[in-house]
Amino acid sequence: MNARSEMQKMLAGELYDAGDTEIQTAQAAAKHWMARYNAAADQPASFRRELLRERLAAVGDGAVIRPPFHCDYGFNIHLGAGVFLNFNCVILDVVTVTIGARTQIAPGVQILTADHPRDPETRRTGLEFGRPVRIGENVWIGAGALILPGVTIGDDALIGAGSVVTRDVAAGATVFGNPARAKPQ
């Protein structure tokens, strides 16, 4: 029986060694791509969209990411049609990040799938894991918000600027704060 590679473990959301050669090579390729993408800030959106299609898993029609943009790998990011990410967004995509159509993301937002063991003995091994993030359609995420590993945000939700989203957000909900909580009715 063949042992699973560290990359296969990472993509499956299992504990993996981020120092593995295959993983480091993938990160180096992403860094090279980001240098090209971020240097293309003065190029037409259509040119940047083609660069996005080189690296990202899916790029819907009309999707825009304004440079600078940073990610771990890129190949785990799925953008729906008309998605907009403003300047200086970060996506740590050790596992899948899905952003639904027409979702708008303000400057400085961080979407994080990378996670670490809670148990101190396991954490000492240096292994880590990821939990997917799913963002629905027509969501608005305000400037500087943090979306933590494993969170699902429903369609038509609104995330207030500076919020730290630690748990799932229902469709149509407005949440804000640290940790993000639903707006009182």
Side-chain angles (χ1 to χ4, degrees):
M1 183 167 136
N2 292 337
R4 292 167 52 101
S5 73
E6 295 303 308
M7 178 69 81
Q8 289 169 324
K9 292 176 191 176
M10 179 186 85
L11 296 173
E14 300 169 3
L15 288 172
Y16 71 95
D17 177 2
D20 175 75
T21 302
E22 182 182 16
I23 291 172
Q24 290 297 306
T25 300
Q27 278 191 336
K31 286 178 188 176
H32 176 74
W33 174 84
M34 279 183 283
R36 289 177 45 231
Y37 186 78
N38 290 330
D42 63 344
Q43 297 297 314
S46 59
F47 178 79
R48 288 195 313 273
R49 193 172 307 99
E50 288 308 312
L51 287 175
L52 290 173
R53 287 185 170 131
E54 282 180 18
R55 191 79 196 158
L56 277 53
V59 180
D61 291 339
V64 172
I65 297 178
R66 293 174 112 183
F69 170 69
H70 303 280
C71 62
D72 269 337
Y73 303 97
F75 53 65
N76 287 318
I77 300 171
H78 301 255
L79 304 178
V83 165
F84 178 79
L85 278 74
N86 213 325
F87 302 109
N88 216 24
C89 286
V90 174
I91 300 178
L92 300 187
D93 64 310
V94 302
V95 292
T96 303
V97 173
T98 304
I99 302 173
R102 297 173 312 284
T103 287
Q104 304 285 305
I105 299 178
V109 169
Q110 296 182 45
I111 300 170
L112 314 172
T113 67
D115 209 339
H116 300 275
R118 305 304 183 262
D119 173 67
E121 290 304 313
T122 307
R123 199 167 48 247
R124 277 189 190 89
T125 67
L127 299 176
E128 55 190 66
F129 65 100
R131 295 188 289 144
V133 170
R134 293 172 189 85
I135 300 170
E137 295 185 359
N138 197 41
V139 172
W140 168 248
I141 301 176
L146 298 173
I147 312 302
L148 296 186
V151 166
T152 295
I153 299 172
D155 294 347
D156 301 317
L158 187 142
I159 310 300
S163 295
V164 179
V165 183
T166 61
R167 58 183 145 202
D168 291 353
V169 176
T174 296
V175 300
F176 55 92
N178 180 5
R181 303 258 189 241
K183 176 182 170 185
Q185 297 299 325

